[in-house]
Amino acid sequence: MSVMYGWRAMLLLAGLLPAHAAHAAGTGQHLYRYGGDRVMACATCHGRHGEGGAGPRLAGLSASYIASQLHAFRNGHRPDSKMQAIATRLDTTRIQAVVRYISQLPRRSLPPLSSDAASSDVRRLLALGDRQRGIPACIHCHGADLRGGGPEIPPLAGQDAGYLARQLRLFRKGARSGWPATLMVHVSRGLKDREIAQLADTISAWTGKVVKADVKDSPSRWHPAPAGPDHFTPPDEAAVPPDHPLVAMIRQGERIFVDTPHRARTFTGDALSCANCHLDRGRLATAAPMWAAAPHFPMYRGKNRRVNTLQMRIQGCFVYSENGLPPPLNSRVMNALTAYIDWLATGMPMGEHPKAAGFPKIERPKAPTDRRHGRQVYMARCAMCHGAHGQGRSVRGKRLFPPLWGPDSFNWGAGMHKLKKAASFIRHNMPYGAGGLLSNRDAWDVAAFVDSHPRPQDPRFTGDVATTAKRFHKHPRDDFYGRKINGHVLGAPGTLKAWVRARGR
Amino acid sequence: MSVMYGWRAMLLLAGLLPAHAAHAAGTGQHLYRYGGDRVMACATCHGRHGEGGAGPRLAGLSASYIASQLHAFRNGHRPDSKMQAIATRLDTTRIQAVVRYISQLPRRSLPPLSSDAASSDVRRLLALGDRQRGIPACIHCHGADLRGGGPEIPPLAGQDAGYLARQLRLFRKGARSGWPATLMVHVSRGLKDREIAQLADTISAWTGKVVKADVKDSPSRWHPAPAGPDHFTPPDEAAVPPDHPLVAMIRQGERIFVDTPHRARTFTGDALSCANCHLDRGRLATAAPMWAAAPHFPMYRGKNRRVNTLQMRIQGCFVYSENGLPPPLNSRVMNALTAYIDWLATGMPMGEHPKAAGFPKIERPKAPTDRRHGRQVYMARCAMCHGAHGQGRSVRGKRLFPPLWGPDSFNWGAGMHKLKKAASFIRHNMPYGAGGLLSNRDAWDVAAFVDSHPRPQDPRFTGDVATTAKRFHKHPRDDFYGRKINGHVLGAPGTLKAWVRARGR
């Protein structure tokens, strides 16, 4: 319940609800620069232009982020005696005013950042994380340039190094709590002291260029020895010697895999990338990893009643999850994806069907799913990244978080429209970097909430929702296709359009 | 030298050279039935109609086979004191006469054979052999119905069981020698006493139906554990449970693999099957086994300067070795072959490039290859199956031995037109069942002889032999394309037609 309180309070504090005071900016500026009424000036520590000093840089932070942090200080979720005292002494009006002022401080007035140099280890953590220790890539949420991933995910580039290191240590020991600090508590658990210092130094000097992992690493890892199909280590991102035609193909496949809408535009009809479901670029064991899929093709699939080669299976993903067209079997997109996917399975025994194939088994709760409860959990835990309307989020022209429903998401033929699959995906992998945070029931209810929204038509549509539902959506317990939700039949022509008209795309 | 003597003598004895005596048949019949001049009647042991009795059945044997056996008795290559005495006492004229008589004894006058019952072990030996012990399938040479594989390869079905068992034991201990007995000496080495008895009983009762291996065997062998990529055991032919859609696809692929011209007619332009080069249905370690090829695709190939998927590689085989058309990537032929080939690699680590991939390394002799010597070896050791004109052989409508040159063989773009590849194939695998019999020099010279004959045009033909040779046949030491042999430029339009006109197809 405190979470829900926190969420609403945050919106309130952020002044995103009604705008009361026309002169708030003026008041905010005064408070920021000169303080008053038992509150010291923000500028004392954070600098006259929010550029930081004794305290962290504030310029560039969003109103909602500043407000939520003030709230966190006030209720003890963030440990800092000075800021806790200040936040407690401010009333709502003054908080609104100063938040609004700070959020408008121009980032461009700050001194230029210094350098994009980084050791290959740090670059790796930033760009790829470390799956062995459960550390996701920093850029996954904070943006490829580390300049922030939206209102609640602050920019990191250029932030004070001491501040960054201090916060990472606080996260790591769980001293910051509440939402979304919990995410960072999960994410930072595996970091070593040395890494925290290096990350902080590198990030604080980062100019905001796109972070790329150094791939000129040891080629000895090209053929990892698997410890058996269920303890498999896919080849490392850095394991590919860069000067071979096959490697160029594998790299191209990887680029398509992580940025499908741009790299395979012809065949893509939504805003999803392969890597949105197959996390960690197809490596994460709990997210239908490619290394577990590749070895067991060709295989028979009931869905199309045929023996499918890997390529035919990939075509299926494009038709349904990508809501697009099947890339021809001799296309470069197809060959590059095949090369990448087969490479990820290097060392896996051919014909093997490892336990990790697909999504992990998940227990079905005895009670029916509760979409209302799902909505509550979604708003508290998922909307931060995927948006209140499931629209996902792009930042500075680059898509950071995928849309979950609506016209830009997977269609009614994709596996993810089925509750069981979606619930497993959510339970084991969401929120990103903190899989397992949601309970089994939460995961099922969020899945039900997400999958009971309009999305593009099933490509197998017969012209009639009832017939299509009968032929292709036989398990109503797992599937909302053809059901009437909020006055509209899901899958009926017009339902998606009506939703777009009501919400905007 | 004795071999060449044997060869010429055989033709002479067989009366295949000039036919002297018009009344030879009459004399032969008399000799067969009543004997004379210190020679007992053949009919005494072999039966009045050649149906056998104390001695083996003779009806159905070819003239050349009977003649060569009489010759073998005479020079001690076949141990049988009674037959040795008889053969020594016969002069050439009488041998010609009796051989001619026996070879005309109608097989149909014999009593019907009894049964096609066979234990699954015997059926397996007949139809598949046992690659662990180097035993090829009986049907490979003696025909799918065991009714013989041409003049020099006798029918087995219906032969006396005691005789068969005795001969197998003689072969096994090397008591029969000379050519082609040497082949059987090789082939029978691994047979156990019990198996010889069972084989003899089964074969003698065989009615001449096509032998098929029993495939309803233990499904536990479906996933063989490889002992590392270089000691790999491909799945057993009998390992497939027959009631699964994927299995149907694998089986279909296997059928295409072993009978490509009929099962993939649309895409085949010659008389070769995949299994003609990839022996033992793609399993034999020394003959470019499929289980060693499948794991390392996709791979870069210099031949087409592209990263090739397995499917693209298969297309290459069809274009060159099959002298046909590339099966479309979504065709059933392609999917079935892919399913079969991938299945053969079950358990092989993906991405692996085992030593067995392709053909074994072979040392190049210091002296240039000698096509004349190659011709001698070919005629002595290869022509028996592949024909004096490289035309191969079909028996009772079924192709038993592939053509090696001429219009029905692989074209000038196939790997096998290169000496190094052909020499390795021959050295390690030929004569079938007795790989290693030829010396390294013999293998290279036979390769040079075979590959210096006309064959279908290189599909990459530019319209001009010299240019094509320059672009695609850069290693003249390994390649006869564009060279003038026997007055014709190989690869030149018209050379193959002239050859066909001269030899007949």
Side-chain angles (χ1 to χ4, degrees):
Chain A
M1 295 317 286
S2 76
V3 165
M4 293 308 299
Y5 171 70
W7 174 257
R8 287 197 201 103
M10 201 170 85
L11 289 176
L12 190 74
L13 289 168
L16 295 177
L17 299 183
H20 296 279
H23 66 296
T27 318
Q29 185 179 42
H30 192 269
L31 188 62
Y32 184 88
R33 292 203 179 155
Y34 310 110
D37 200 10
R38 293 194 303 147
V39 172
M40 67 190 292
C42 311
T44 315
C45 296
H46 295 288
R48 185 175 169 81
H49 304 290
E51 74 276 22
R57 160 183 233 156
L58 298 183
L61 296 179
S62 71
S64 67
Y65 183 77
I66 305 164
S68 77
Q69 298 313 306
L70 283 172
H71 180 71
F73 286 123
R74 196 142 81 163
N75 65 15
H77 283 163
R78 257 192 96 159
D80 181 303
S81 54
K82 210 182 288 171
M83 282 307 301
Q84 284 178 345
I86 292 169
T88 314
R89 282 173 200 152
L90 288 174
D91 61 20
T92 307
T93 316
R94 291 206 296 168
I95 285 188
Q96 278 188 24
V98 79
V99 160
R100 188 162 298 182
Y101 176 71
I102 296 172
S103 70
Q104 288 165 4
L105 284 173
R107 192 186 156 83
R108 67 181 172 279
S109 68
L110 299 173
L113 302 172
S114 1
S115 142
D116 289 327
S119 78
S120 92
D121 282 353
V122 170
R123 208 183 274 270
R124 221 188 132 75
L125 275 176
L126 291 170
L128 305 171
D130 184 337
R131 89 186 60 88
Q132 307 296 345
R133 291 182 283 160
I135 305 171
C138 307
I139 66 168
H140 189 97
C141 296
H142 292 279
D145 50 8
L146 297 174
R147 289 171 60 197
E152 298 83 9
I153 303 169
L156 301 181
Q159 187 53 285
D160 178 67
Y163 170 77
L164 286 172
R166 208 157 52 242
Q167 299 311 313
L168 280 172
R169 284 193 298 268
L170 288 175
F171 283 128
R172 188 176 59 177
K173 69 177 179 187
R176 285 181 65 171
S177 56
W179 184 259
T182 310
L183 283 182
M184 281 304 298
V185 171
H186 258 83
V187 162
S188 61
R189 271 194 298 220
L191 287 174
K192 297 169 191 158
D193 282 339
R194 185 179 42 80
E195 289 171 332
I196 287 180
Q198 288 174 339
L199 278 172
D201 284 350
T202 302
I203 294 170
S204 80
W206 201 256
T207 65
K209 279 197 183 163
V210 166
V211 181
K212 280 182 178 155
D214 190 348
V215 295
K216 289 164 203 152
D217 213 318
S218 99
S220 68
R221 285 184 280 182
W222 170 253
H223 277 310
D230 293 320
H231 303 278
F232 182 75
T233 309
D236 195 278
E237 292 85 350
V240 188
D243 54 351
H244 187 283
L246 173 60
V247 174
M249 195 66 130
I250 291 170
R251 284 281 170 234
Q252 191 181 10
E254 186 181 38
R255 285 192 293 271
I256 296 169
F257 198 88
V258 299
D259 190 12
T260 321
H262 292 104
R263 301 281 183 166
R265 197 176 309 204
T266 323
F267 310 113
T268 313
D270 60 30
L272 302 185
S273 288
C274 309
N276 287 147
C277 293
H278 308 284
L279 299 173
D280 194 17
R281 304 172 182 223
R283 285 177 174 83
L284 199 67
T286 50
M290 292 298 97
W291 50 261
H296 59 72
F297 285 94
M299 73 174 289
Y300 179 78
R301 288 192 81 211
K303 187 166 183 174
N304 55 12
R305 297 189 196 177
R306 293 182 68 180
V307 173
N308 286 215
T309 57
L310 174 60
Q311 286 94 335
M312 288 157 77
R313 182 66 191 83
I314 292 172
Q315 289 186 326
C317 279
F318 273 89
V319 170
Y320 300 111
S321 298
E322 293 292 326
N323 191 36
L325 297 167
L329 294 169
N330 62 351
S331 61
R332 202 159 169 85
V333 162
M334 180 57 84
N335 288 337
L337 281 173
T338 305
Y340 177 62
I341 290 169
D342 275 349
W343 173 70
L344 283 178
T346 301
M348 178 65 80
M350 289 185 70
E352 195 62 59
H353 200 129
K355 280 182 197 148
F359 293 100
K361 278 190 183 168
I362 184 171
E363 201 188 337
R364 187 185 294 274
K366 275 168 196 154
T369 52
D370 179 348
R371 288 183 290 116
R372 262 195 75 193
H373 176 244
R375 181 180 186 284
Q376 290 171 352
V377 178
Y378 180 89
M379 289 305 176
R381 293 285 175 266
C382 317
M384 184 179 100
C385 296
H386 293 289
H389 302 305
Q391 74 276 23
R393 183 186 294 152
S394 293
V395 173
R396 293 178 296 285
K398 209 179 136 47
R399 181 158 284 279
L400 220 52
F401 305 107
L404 303 185
W405 63 85
D408 295 328
S409 191
F410 56 88
N411 67 38
W412 281 110
M416 211 50 99
H417 92 275
K418 289 191 178 161
L419 260 55
K420 198 174 167 186
K421 197 162 276 189
S424 173
F425 177 82
I426 294 165
R427 171 95 169 98
H428 295 98
N429 301 297
M430 290 287 126
Y432 188 81
L437 196 73
L438 302 184
S439 71
N440 191 39
R441 195 197 146 199
D442 285 353
W444 280 89
D445 291 348
V446 168
F449 173 68
V450 167
D451 280 346
S452 59
H453 279 88
R455 56 181 65 259
Q457 184 57 272
D458 190 334
R460 301 163 297 184
F461 188 53
T462 62
D464 171 71
V465 175
T467 316
T468 308
K470 207 171 167 186
R471 282 186 56 185
F472 302 111
H473 301 267
K474 288 174 187 163
H475 304 286
R477 198 170 55 159
D478 255 347
D479 194 335
F480 283 93
Y481 186 89
R483 281 170 64 181
K484 196 167 192 170
I485 305 284
N486 300 332
H488 290 283
V489 174
L490 290 172
T495 296
L496 180 59
K497 273 188 193 161
W499 182 88
V500 171
R501 264 197 305 277
R503 304 284 180 184
R505 190 177 179 115
Chain B
M1 294 315 287
S2 75
V3 166
M4 291 309 296
Y5 171 69
W7 173 257
R8 286 197 203 103
M10 201 171 85
L11 288 175
L12 189 73
L13 290 167
L16 295 177
L17 300 184
H20 298 280
H23 65 296
T27 319
Q29 187 180 41
H30 193 271
L31 188 62
Y32 184 90
R33 292 206 179 153
Y34 310 108
D37 198 11
R38 295 194 301 145
V39 171
M40 67 188 293
C42 311
T44 314
C45 297
H46 296 287
R48 185 174 169 82
H49 305 290
E51 73 277 21
R57 160 185 235 157
L58 298 182
L61 296 179
S62 71
S64 67
Y65 182 76
I66 305 164
S68 77
Q69 298 312 305
L70 284 172
H71 180 72
F73 287 122
R74 196 141 81 161
N75 64 16
H77 283 165
R78 259 193 95 159
D80 181 304
S81 54
K82 209 181 293 170
M83 281 307 300
Q84 283 177 345
I86 293 170
T88 312
R89 285 172 200 153
L90 289 173
D91 61 20
T92 307
T93 316
R94 292 206 295 168
I95 285 189
Q96 279 187 23
V98 79
V99 160
R100 188 163 297 182
Y101 176 72
I102 297 172
S103 70
Q104 288 164 5
L105 285 173
R107 191 188 156 84
R108 66 179 173 282
S109 69
L110 299 172
L113 304 171
S114 2
S115 139
D116 290 327
S119 77
S120 92
D121 282 352
V122 170
R123 207 182 274 270
R124 218 188 134 74
L125 274 176
L126 291 170
L128 303 171
D130 184 337
R131 88 186 60 89
Q132 306 296 344
R133 292 182 284 159
I135 305 170
C138 307
I139 65 168
H140 189 96
C141 295
H142 292 278
D145 50 9
L146 297 173
R147 290 171 60 198
E152 299 82 10
I153 305 168
L156 302 180
Q159 187 53 284
D160 177 65
Y163 171 77
L164 285 173
R166 208 158 50 244
Q167 298 310 314
L168 281 171
R169 283 194 298 269
L170 288 175
F171 283 128
R172 189 177 56 177
K173 69 177 180 189
R176 285 182 64 172
S177 55
W179 184 260
T182 310
L183 283 182
M184 281 304 298
V185 172
H186 258 84
V187 162
S188 59
R189 270 192 302 218
L191 286 174
K192 296 169 190 158
D193 282 340
R194 187 180 42 79
E195 288 171 332
I196 287 181
Q198 289 174 339
L199 278 171
D201 285 350
T202 302
I203 294 171
S204 81
W206 201 256
T207 66
K209 279 197 182 163
V210 166
V211 182
K212 280 183 180 155
D214 190 348
V215 295
K216 287 164 203 151
D217 212 318
S218 99
S220 66
R221 285 185 281 182
W222 171 253
H223 276 311
D230 294 320
H231 303 277
F232 182 74
T233 308
D236 195 276
E237 292 84 350
V240 188
D243 55 349
H244 186 282
L246 174 59
V247 174
M249 195 65 129
I250 291 170
R251 284 283 170 231
Q252 192 180 11
E254 186 180 37
R255 285 192 295 271
I256 297 169
F257 198 87
V258 298
D259 190 12
T260 322
H262 292 105
R263 301 284 183 165
R265 197 175 311 204
T266 324
F267 310 114
T268 312
D270 60 31
L272 301 185
S273 289
C274 310
N276 286 147
C277 294
H278 308 282
L279 299 173
D280 194 15
R281 304 174 183 221
R283 285 177 174 83
L284 198 66
T286 50
M290 292 296 98
W291 49 261
H296 59 73
F297 286 94
M299 74 175 289
Y300 178 78
R301 288 192 81 212
K303 188 167 181 173
N304 54 14
R305 296 189 197 175
R306 292 183 67 180
V307 172
N308 286 215
T309 58
L310 174 61
Q311 287 94 334
M312 289 157 76
R313 182 66 191 82
I314 293 172
Q315 289 186 326
C317 280
F318 274 89
V319 171
Y320 301 111
S321 298
E322 293 293 326
N323 191 34
L325 297 167
L329 295 169
N330 62 351
S331 62
R332 201 159 170 84
V333 163
M334 181 56 85
N335 288 337
L337 281 173
T338 304
Y340 177 61
I341 290 170
D342 274 349
W343 173 70
L344 282 179
T346 302
M348 178 64 81
M350 290 185 71
E352 195 62 59
H353 199 130
K355 280 183 195 148
F359 294 99
K361 278 189 183 168
I362 184 170
E363 201 186 338
R364 187 186 294 274
K366 272 167 198 155
T369 52
D370 178 348
R371 287 182 291 118
R372 263 194 76 191
H373 176 245
R375 182 180 185 283
Q376 290 171 351
V377 179
Y378 180 90
M379 289 305 174
R381 294 285 176 263
C382 317
M384 184 179 100
C385 296
H386 294 288
H389 302 304
Q391 74 275 26
R393 183 188 292 153
S394 294
V395 174
R396 294 178 293 284
K398 207 178 137 50
R399 181 159 284 279
L400 220 52
F401 304 108
L404 303 185
W405 64 85
D408 295 329
S409 190
F410 55 89
N411 67 37
W412 280 110
M416 211 51 98
H417 91 275
K418 291 191 178 160
L419 261 56
K420 197 173 167 187
K421 197 163 277 189
S424 173
F425 177 82
I426 294 165
R427 170 96 169 98
H428 296 98
N429 302 296
M430 289 290 124
Y432 187 81
L437 195 73
L438 301 184
S439 71
N440 191 38
R441 195 196 146 199
D442 285 353
W444 279 89
D445 290 349
V446 168
F449 174 69
V450 168
D451 280 346
S452 58
H453 280 88
R455 56 182 65 261
Q457 185 56 274
D458 190 333
R460 301 164 296 184
F461 188 54
T462 62
D464 171 71
V465 175
T467 317
T468 308
K470 206 171 167 184
R471 280 187 57 186
F472 302 112
H473 301 269
K474 290 175 185 161
H475 304 287
R477 199 170 56 159
D478 256 347
D479 193 338
F480 283 92
Y481 186 89
R483 281 168 66 180
K484 197 167 192 171
I485 305 284
N486 300 331
H488 289 284
V489 175
L490 290 173
T495 296
L496 179 61
K497 273 187 194 162
W499 182 89
V500 172
R501 263 197 306 276
R503 305 282 180 186
R505 188 176 180 118

